[in-house]
Amino acid sequence: AQSVTQLDSQVPVFEEAPVELRCNYSSSVSVYLFWYVQYPNQGLQLLLKYLSGSTLVKGINGFEAEFNKSQTSFHLRKPSVHISDTAEYFCAVSDRAGRRALTFGSGTRLQVQP
Amino acid sequence: DSGVTQTPKHLITATGQRVTLRCSPRSGDLSVYWYQQSLDQGLQFLIQYYNGEERAKGNILERFSAQQFPDLHSELNLSSLELGDSALYFCASSGRTGPMDEQYFGPGTRLTVT
């Protein structure tokens, strides 16, 4: 079984400031890691994913994330946020061997202020 | 636009009733996943179908059932509805069943049980 913990339920930040959204996971097997974004009244959109290889993954809209196996973390970062980045962000895992479905964290609400 | 469509967008019904939510996957995608998003439970995987067959089950109640038809669209049936079933129900599709395959999410159906 897997679980995902997003340590911050809300992150307020000023426009053009950097941001980090934290994600830790627990799993008895190797996993794939994902970050999804949900804009108000919309479905989820994939930001980026880690499958293998380089631990630094770049995604859409200037976001990147770093996989840290020893700390079982997959934190999401952006060097300079925009008002349009205001949304809910979900970290998710799926196991490599069997179950294909995603296990999601509880989400982090990013609020970008002018 | 992810290419995944869900109908209806909103559904309001009374306790004890039965409803059917419909999902059309992206063209060519064989796999369909159903997720429930509620305030208290977060985003939870319910069930997955691949080319008409059930592939995986998550936290799906016995009152809920799903199927995938030969044209690959899927329906989620919710019966004996309770207030706690009020949630946003998402459908996602992917091309294969591999855990690394990106899942594309529909806009969701918001179910309100009164």
Side-chain angles (χ1 to χ4, degrees), chain A residues 85-101:
Chain A
D85 292 324
T86 295
E88 189 92 20
Y89 292 79
F90 293 93
C91 182
V93 302
S94 68
D95 76 64
R96 290 172 179 256
R99 178 175 152 128
R100 274 71 173 172

Side-chain angles (χ1 to χ4, degrees), chain B residues 21-88:
Chain B
L21 313 183
R22 182 188 169 104
C23 167
S24 292
R26 290 188 321 152
S27 176
D29 281 358
L30 299 176
S31 202
V32 169
Y33 304 77
W34 286 97
Y35 293 87
Q36 179 195 59
Q37 185 179 31
S38 62
L39 284 175
D40 50 347
Q41 300 288 332
L43 258 167
Q44 288 196 102
F45 166 66
L46 295 178
I47 196 164
Q48 179 207 356
Y49 277 82
Y50 176 77
N51 203 20
E53 293 188 4
E54 182 184 303
R55 270 298 171 96
K57 259 186 176 178
N59 299 321
I60 188 166
L61 300 171
E62 285 192 11
R63 300 183 285 109
F64 295 1
S65 65
Q67 54 185 326
Q68 187 179 27
F69 295 87
D71 67 352
L72 300 177
H73 90 272
S74 177
E75 292 181 355
L76 179 67
N77 301 297
L78 316 176
S79 61
S80 303
L81 285 168
E82 302 174 0
L83 295 177
D85 297 328
S86 295
L88 197 50

Side-chain angles (χ1 to χ4, degrees), chain A residues 1-5 23-29 31 33 71-73 93 103:
Chain A
Q2 302 118 36
S3 66
V4 179
T5 302
C23 171
N24 287 87
Y25 69 93
S26 172
S27 178
S28 56
V29 298
V31 296
L33 296 150
Q71 297 189 2
T72 60
S73 68
V93 302
T103 299

